Amino acid sequence: MTTANPTAVISDTATRRPGKIRNRVLWTLQILLGLFFVIASGGPKLVMPNALTDNAPENLTIPIGLLIFIGVVEVAGGIGLMVPKLSALAAAGLSVLTVLAAATQAFIADKPAMAIFPLVLAAIFAWIAYERRATLTDLRDSLTR
């Protein structure tokens, strides 16, 4: 009678890395989305936060400090997407951020149709985080040495 070792199965799936084509697709997405968050999303929040708050709809007033914090998180997440060891962590963080952005659009700004784009981004980031999960164990191992 043979018995399976459940820890061996868990460690094999936890360190599984994507194939060659999937890896290229992931890196293309990570670079494009990373540049988007650094240049088009987070950058303007850091460079011109007053213009963004002045042009915001009246039912969506965000304090300038919170807007700058969101900009910092978006820029850091965008950079993290493009750093191999940080890609899974950054993707997970950006997934949470975009779900919160969708909730803000749907419930606070009262524009549920505007929540679709952040939810699609959240799904993409969740997929990137799942595929890059091996980098989390690599990061943990490098920090514990």
Side-chain angles (χ1 to χ4, degrees):
M1 180 164 90
T2 60
T3 58
N5 186 356
T7 58
V9 173
I10 291 171
S11 65
D12 288 344
T13 58
T15 59
R16 189 181 76 74
R17 297 184 190 279
K20 190 175 189 178
I21 293 173
R22 187 177 290 175
N23 191 38
R24 287 182 180 166
V25 170
L26 284 167
W27 274 116
T28 302
L29 276 174
Q30 286 173 233
I31 291 169
L32 289 174
L33 289 172
L35 290 174
F36 170 76
F37 270 88
V38 170
I39 296 169
S41 187
K45 290 178 180 85
L46 297 176
V47 175
M48 52 183 184
N50 291 326
L52 293 175
T53 56
D54 293 342
N55 293 329
E58 56 279 344
N59 60 345
L60 185 62
T61 55
I62 297 175
I64 197 157
L66 178 61
L67 189 67
I68 291 172
F69 174 75
I70 293 169
V72 168
V73 170
E74 288 178 348
V75 169
I79 293 170
L81 274 179
M82 297 182 281
V83 176
K85 285 191 176 194
L86 300 177
S87 60
L89 199 57
L94 286 171
S95 183
V96 170
L97 180 75
T98 53
V99 166
L100 294 174
T104 301
Q105 289 293 334
F107 301 116
I108 296 175
D110 201 26
K111 296 185 181 195
M114 297 294 289
I116 295 170
F117 180 67
L119 288 176
V120 169
L121 285 177
I124 292 170
F125 289 134
W127 178 63
I128 291 171
Y130 176 77
E131 290 293 333
R132 299 290 187 205
R133 66 192 180 276
T135 63
L136 291 174
T137 57
D138 294 344
L139 182 63
R140 182 194 64 209
D141 293 343
S142 68
L143 293 175
T144 56
R145 288 181 193 163

